[in-house]
Amino acid sequence: MKRECGVVLADEQQYLLDSRLGPVARQHGHASLTELVETVCSSLPSAPVACSVVDALTTHESLFFRDQAFWRQLEEHILPQLIAEADGRPLRFWSAACSHGQEPYSLAMLLEEKWPHVAATAQILASDVSPLAVQRGREGLYSMLEVNRGLVATRLLRHFTQESGSFRIQSLLRNRISWFAYNLLGTDVGPSRCDVVLCRNVLIYFSDRDRAFTLERMESASRPGGYIALGGTETTPRPSLAPGWYQLPTTPIRGFP
Amino acid sequence: MQALVVDDSSAMRRIQQKALESLGWQVRCAANGREALVTLDSMPVCDLVLTDWHMPEMDGIELCAQLRRDARYLKLRIVMVTSDAVLDSVETALAAGANDFLMKPFSAEALSERIAGIFGG
């Protein structure tokens, strides 16, 4: 479980295994959790049963424009500065724990509304440890309950189309995002030279060691002077600009002396 | 901050009132648009109206339209609450003067996030 999604459960959280994995075991025709675990251990990470387990064990609480203060900081300070400094160079963003896509789509909406010329060339990368969550993000289809969370009516009208009882984000924004499944604690090499790496409310689920590893990985994904965004209560050894916001030094980091 | 909840269902009024009060709002209630206009008249100040769409006597759309014609309520924020989960309804509500839109059912968190969005919380 830790290898595939980095989630570490305390002894008193064992009940989560039953409540979250029980339905997955039944869905895949297994009589017990032990049988499910044996199947997952002997299957490829991309196998449907393994994807279901990762999806069930990770948290997908997400909403559009989560945390107003965070987005205000991005809109009023970080983006204007990055855009001015980039001088026409395409900006690159990585939403490294994108869940069902609300975060990268919020970013795509904001860019399109305020800086359409920047939005047209920007690269937005979106990944999550759960391939099923990534698939949902790629589809960009949200229920009424999901669009109620954080999405003002003017944005709903501008960026979504109706599909029976659900709402789909318009293809213009969908096509601007590159989606991939990615384990922050795995061995795959991640993106590099990003202007902003967003990894909010993820480290809280990790052990101290995995937290340090993930931070290092996020720093290596950023360009010098780039920004890392964490959840409001998550901290790094670097001084923060505003709750959750960190900037890397403008000189390249050359590893440990 | 002062809010007015307008809904013809007393259960819905109570739920929304409780949710708003838990966020620190002082709340008055009205059962339809006509009653809302009378209540607003008696309130020295009101910052937010959370109104249902479909109500007897005067619906939420007509209430929006009347409020937007009254100079006293220019700064008032109006959120339309409805079970019509369609974009056409969102468009109609905004055209009538609503600032935002919430679809029923919604959670207390969704209401809180919406208000934070409107008032910059």
Side-chain angles (χ1 to χ4, degrees):
Chain A
M1 179 171 110
K2 182 173 179 302
R3 190 193 68 205
E4 295 303 335
C5 53
V7 173
V8 179
L9 294 181
D11 286 345
E12 64 271 20
Q13 291 176 306
Q14 289 299 318
Y15 71 93
L16 277 174
L17 284 182
D18 293 328
S19 64
R20 292 191 177 188
L21 291 186
V24 177
R26 283 193 291 282
Q27 184 196 336
H28 290 271
H30 296 295
S32 67
L33 288 192
T34 314
E35 207 180 294
L36 174 70
V37 169
E38 278 166 6
T39 307
V40 170
C41 288
S42 61
S43 57
L44 287 171
S46 58
V49 64
C51 292
S52 300
V53 166
V54 171
D55 195 62
L57 286 176
T58 46
T59 301
H60 300 300
E61 162 75 5
S62 191
L63 52 138
F64 292 98
F65 295 93
R66 180 178 191 173
D67 185 356
Q68 300 281 329
F70 170 87
W71 287 96
R72 255 201 315 276
Q73 180 72 15
L74 181 66
E75 179 179 349
E76 293 172 9
H77 302 286
I78 312 263
L79 284 173
Q81 184 226 319
L82 282 174
I83 290 165
E85 283 175 10
D87 197 22
R89 167 180 67 81
L91 292 178
R92 178 183 290 193
F93 303 88
W94 180 23
S95 171
C98 70
S99 187
H100 294 155
Q102 285 93 334
E103 182 177 81
Y105 283 133
S106 297
L107 176 62
M109 283 185 250
L110 176 62
L111 286 172
E112 178 61 19
E113 288 162 13
K114 297 256 323 199
W115 300 278
H117 60 291
V118 173
T121 61
Q123 285 181 292
I124 301 178
L125 312 171
S127 68
D128 196 272
V129 67
S130 165
L132 296 180
V134 169
Q135 185 51 32
R136 275 217 56 198
R138 185 182 282 124
E139 286 166 5
L141 188 66
Y142 297 95
S143 71
M144 182 258 285
L145 287 176
E146 288 170 313
V147 299
N148 257 348
R149 305 284 310 271
L151 199 61
V152 295
T154 44
R155 283 192 163 126
L156 183 64
L157 279 180
R158 176 163 176 184
H159 301 296
F160 289 75
T161 53
Q162 183 102 36
E163 282 193 21
S164 59
S166 301
F167 302 88
R168 195 184 295 276
I169 192 138
Q170 285 181 354
S171 56
L172 174 78
L173 298 190
R174 271 207 321 276
N175 295 340
R176 284 182 177 163
I177 301 178
S178 308
W179 304 89
F180 56 105
Y182 186 75
N183 181 353
L184 287 164
L185 299 173
T187 50
D188 291 354
V189 174
S192 64
R193 301 196 65 76
C194 296
D195 293 277
V196 181
V197 178
L198 303 130
C199 189
R200 302 192 295 145
N201 308 301
V202 174
L203 302 184
I204 44 171
Y205 298 105
F206 288 179
S207 68
D208 287 349
R209 201 171 134 195
D210 290 343
R211 226 173 272 160
F213 178 81
T214 307
L215 279 169
E216 204 177 304
R217 179 161 266 186
M218 287 190 286
E219 294 203 354
S220 70
S222 308
R223 67 169 181 78
Y227 291 89
I228 290 173
L230 303 177
T233 57
E234 296 165 324
T235 53
T236 81
R238 296 191 185 285
S240 72
L241 303 164
W245 280 107
Y246 302 87
Q247 187 176 22
L248 267 65
T250 44
T251 51
I253 301 164
R254 300 213 181 273
F256 296 103
Chain B
M1 300 281 269
Q2 311 274 338
L4 176 66
V5 169
V6 191
D7 202 304
D8 56 330
S9 150
S10 60
M12 279 302 294
R13 285 199 298 274
R14 265 200 308 279
I15 293 166
Q16 293 178 70
Q17 178 175 13
K18 225 170 151 185
L20 282 169
E21 282 173 350
S22 74
L23 298 171
W25 287 75
Q26 290 186 4
V27 184
R28 298 277 302 272
C29 292
N32 59 54
R34 197 168 307 286
E35 214 177 90
L37 289 175
V38 175
T39 310
L40 273 171
D41 226 12
S42 72
M43 292 170 75
V45 63
C46 184
D47 307 284
L48 170 71
V49 169
L50 205 58
T51 181
D52 188 23
W53 182 316
H54 302 288
M55 294 178 292
E57 290 193 53
M58 186 190 290
D59 67 14
I61 292 295
E62 179 58 25
L63 173 63
C64 275
Q66 294 230 11
L67 290 173
R68 290 309 180 212
R69 281 198 292 268
D70 191 326
R72 289 175 297 168
Y73 302 125
L74 283 180
K75 286 186 179 170
L76 180 65
R77 304 305 175 104
I78 306 172
V79 177
M80 182 68 69
V81 177
T82 171
S83 42
D84 299 343
V86 289
L87 289 179
D88 286 349
S89 300
V90 180
E91 204 161 7
T92 306
L94 294 196
N99 297 89
D100 210 342
F101 194 95
L102 257 179
M103 303 173 201
K104 286 186 208 168
F106 57 86
S107 61
E109 287 83 26
L111 177 61
S112 156
E113 288 149 13
R114 197 50 58 108
I115 289 169
I118 294 171
F119 291 93

